[in-house]
C-alpha cells in the first residue's frame, strides 16, 4: 500500500483530482455571486462545471482502481 501511495501515477492523479475539485468549488462561488448588471456573464460556468466534473469523476475512479478496488468488469 505504501508503494502505491508514493507512485508517480497515484500522486499525479490525486493532484488532478484535487485541482478539479477546487475548480468546481471556484465555479460554484462564481455562479452564486450576485450580478451587478443584467449583462450575461462572460464565463459559461455551468458547462465548465459539467466538463470539469466529468474529469474529476474519471480521476476518482482511477484513484480507486489504483488502490486495488475493482470498479469494472
Amino acid at each position: 500500500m505504501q508503494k502505491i501511495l508514493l507512485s508517480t501515477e497515484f500522486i499525479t492523479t490525486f493532484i488532478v483530482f484535487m485541482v478539479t475539485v477546487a475548480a468546481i468549488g471556484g465555479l460554484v462561488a462564481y455562479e452564486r455571486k450576485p450580478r451587478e448588471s443584467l449583462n450575461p456573464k462572460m464565463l459559461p460556468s455551468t458547462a465548465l462545471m459539467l466538463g470539469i466534473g466529468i474529469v474529476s469523476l474519471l480521476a476518482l475512479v482511477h484513484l480507486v482502481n489504483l488502490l486495488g478496488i475493482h470498479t469494472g468488469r
Side-chain angles (χ1 to χ4, degrees), residues 17 20-21 24 50-64:
F17 177 69
T20 56
V21 168
I24 290 172
L50 180 65
I52 294 172
I54 291 170
V55 172
S56 179
L57 183 63
L58 290 173
L60 180 63
V61 169
H62 187 63
L63 283 173
V64 169

Side-chain angles (χ1 to χ4, degrees), residues 11-30:
I11 292 171
T12 305
T13 307
F14 186 73
I15 289 171
V16 168
F17 177 69
M18 294 310 291
V19 166
T20 56
V21 168
I24 290 172
L27 286 170
V28 166
Y30 173 75

Side-chain angles (χ1 to χ4, degrees), residues 21-59:
V21 168
I24 290 172
L27 286 170
V28 166
Y30 173 75
E31 196 166 280
R32 299 194 94 203
K33 185 174 140 183
R35 291 211 254 182
E36 296 174 1
S37 67
L38 292 178
N39 294 334
K41 293 183 178 183
M42 295 300 292
L43 188 67
S45 57
T46 305
L48 284 174
M49 273 194 287
L50 180 65
I52 294 172
I54 291 170
V55 172
S56 179
L57 183 63
L58 290 173

